[in-house]
Amino acid sequence: MYFLLGTVGTADSTVDSSDISIIEPAAQQLNAIQRWWLSLNWEAITGLIIQKAITILFIIVLFSILVRVADFLVDRTFTSYSKKKTNEVRMTTLHTLIRNVIHYTLGFFFIYALLSTIGIPVGSLLAGAGIAGLAIGLGAQGFMNDIITGFFIITEQQIDVGDYIKLNDLAIEGTVTSVGLRTLQLQSSDGTVHFVPNRNITTISNTSRANMRVLVDVRIDPSEDIVGIQAAIERANQQIVQKYTEVIQTPPVIFGIVDLGNSNYAIRTTMYVSNGRQHKIQEELLSASIHEVSQAGFTIPNSPVVAAK
């Protein structure tokens, strides 16, 4: 009995000593936390939190006002410009672009001011962001070239939706269907839609900004009556003038006989019409001229025209 009691007592004492060895470090850590907690200057901390909160609230209110004022000025400016005869697509694109630039700029300064108020080292973050931005910029160089080129194409009003243009360096031509900051879309006469990155555009030939020339050559036999042929062509010219009075800017003029090479001669007629109508009028003027010359009994040579070497 005594042996058992002694054994039990020894076990209890062993457990108690191991518990104490575990509890003492925890108690010391807890005491350290309590001492740190009690050592805090809560009055100063409360004052600092209130100060930071007021500063952050002021920054939020300030930048909210700046965004509203900027949007108001931009909207008012574009409203005054929209009253003039300007392209609606261009105005909408520029409006959106300028608003986004202002918002991003103000957003950057807002985050900078916010982080500075909180106490985050913004300078170190900007240094790291600068290195990352340089790497991204090198990788996105083509994209930035598209944006910059597209911006100047839009602001300088080089092209509008509906214009018929020629990109000589790319051997592409067609009607513009969309003008964007990154790509230009145009549709060829066969229906093909071309998506052209703005950075590839170097020379734009716009045929929709001024009156376009219509040039028609009617091949003739020089041994026949030249005066009679010219009179027949003049009748065809007058038919076109009566039909397209509103779009003809300068009346058709018979230039005279031109040498096409290799004993091929033609009587040339020139005129200027509103842009976009030149192809149809040229086709009808050529058809009317051939019809009048044939009806007058003159010969239209049908031998192929071979350029002189």
Side-chain angles (χ1 to χ4, degrees):
M1 179 65 71
Y2 289 106
F3 174 76
L4 294 175
L5 291 175
T7 303
V8 174
T10 303
D12 292 341
S13 62
T14 302
V15 173
D16 293 342
S17 62
S18 61
D19 290 343
I20 292 173
S21 63
I22 296 174
I23 293 173
E24 283 182 354
Q28 291 177 0
Q29 293 179 358
L30 181 60
N31 292 333
I33 294 175
Q34 290 177 347
R35 288 194 300 270
W36 172 80
W37 184 266
L38 295 175
S39 65
L40 293 177
N41 188 349
W42 287 105
E43 183 177 356
I45 292 175
T46 304
L48 181 62
I49 292 175
I50 295 175
Q51 180 183 359
K52 297 292 185 181
I54 293 175
T55 304
I56 293 174
L57 180 61
F58 174 75
I59 292 173
I60 294 174
V61 173
L62 176 62
F63 277 91
S64 298
I65 294 174
L66 289 177
V67 169
R68 292 179 180 273
V69 171
D71 288 344
F72 172 76
L73 293 177
V74 171
D75 293 342
R76 184 173 182 180
T77 301
F78 277 90
T79 300
S80 61
Y81 273 106
S82 62
K83 296 179 181 178
K84 303 178 182 179
K85 294 183 178 180
T86 54
N87 184 271
E88 184 178 354
V89 176
R90 181 191 301 114
M91 295 300 296
T92 302
T93 303
L94 288 177
H95 189 190
T96 304
L97 175 63
I98 293 177
R99 282 177 64 103
N100 289 338
V101 170
I102 293 176
H103 287 178
Y104 290 143
T105 303
L106 292 177
F108 171 79
F109 285 107
F110 171 75
I111 295 176
Y112 181 89
L114 199 62
L115 294 178
S116 299
T117 302
I118 295 174
I120 297 177
V122 182
S124 302
L125 294 177
L126 289 179
I131 298 174
L134 178 61
I136 296 174
L138 292 176
Q141 184 177 4
F143 176 78
M144 294 306 299
N145 288 339
D146 288 337
I147 298 296
I148 295 173
T149 305
F151 175 78
F152 284 108
I153 288 176
I154 293 174
T155 55
E156 293 176 359
Q157 303 181 9
Q158 297 178 13
I159 52 179
D160 292 323
V161 174
D163 288 352
Y164 190 90
I165 67 172
K166 299 178 181 179
L167 304 180
N168 299 321
D169 297 332
L170 302 176
I172 297 175
E173 63 179 270
T175 303
V176 178
T177 58
S178 176
V179 182
L181 287 175
R182 195 180 66 85
T183 59
L184 171 69
Q185 299 179 24
L186 63 153
Q187 185 175 14
S188 298
S189 57
D190 61 356
T192 303
V193 178
H194 302 277
F195 298 85
V196 183
N198 290 333
R199 64 178 177 273
N200 294 335
I201 300 174
T202 55
T203 303
I204 301 174
S205 299
N206 195 330
T207 64
S208 300
R209 291 298 176 85
N211 299 327
M212 299 301 297
R213 185 185 67 174
V214 172
L215 186 148
V216 172
D217 289 336
V218 179
R219 294 179 61 195
I220 62 169
D221 184 350
S223 62
E224 297 181 342
D225 183 11
I226 303 298
V227 176
I229 297 174
Q230 290 181 343
I233 294 177
E234 182 63 30
R235 290 194 295 272
N237 293 344
Q238 295 305 316
Q239 294 175 13
I240 298 299
V241 169
Q242 295 176 2
K243 185 176 181 180
Y244 295 101
T245 303
E246 296 181 356
V247 299
I248 294 178
Q249 304 300 321
T250 60
V253 176
I254 298 179
F255 178 80
I257 298 178
V258 293
D259 186 359
L260 302 179
N262 292 334
S263 300
N264 295 302
Y265 299 94
I267 292 182
R268 174 168 296 177
T269 301
T270 60
M271 59 190 297
Y272 282 87
V273 300
S274 300
N275 58 71
R277 305 298 299 275
Q278 64 269 19
H279 301 293
K280 181 175 179 57
I281 293 179
Q282 181 174 359
E283 178 185 358
E284 292 196 17
L285 179 59
L286 178 60
S287 299
S289 299
I290 293 176
H291 176 74
E292 289 294 333
V293 171
S294 300
Q295 287 293 321
F298 298 104
T299 304
I300 302 294
N302 55 10
S303 59
V305 178
V306 181
K309 296 183 180 179

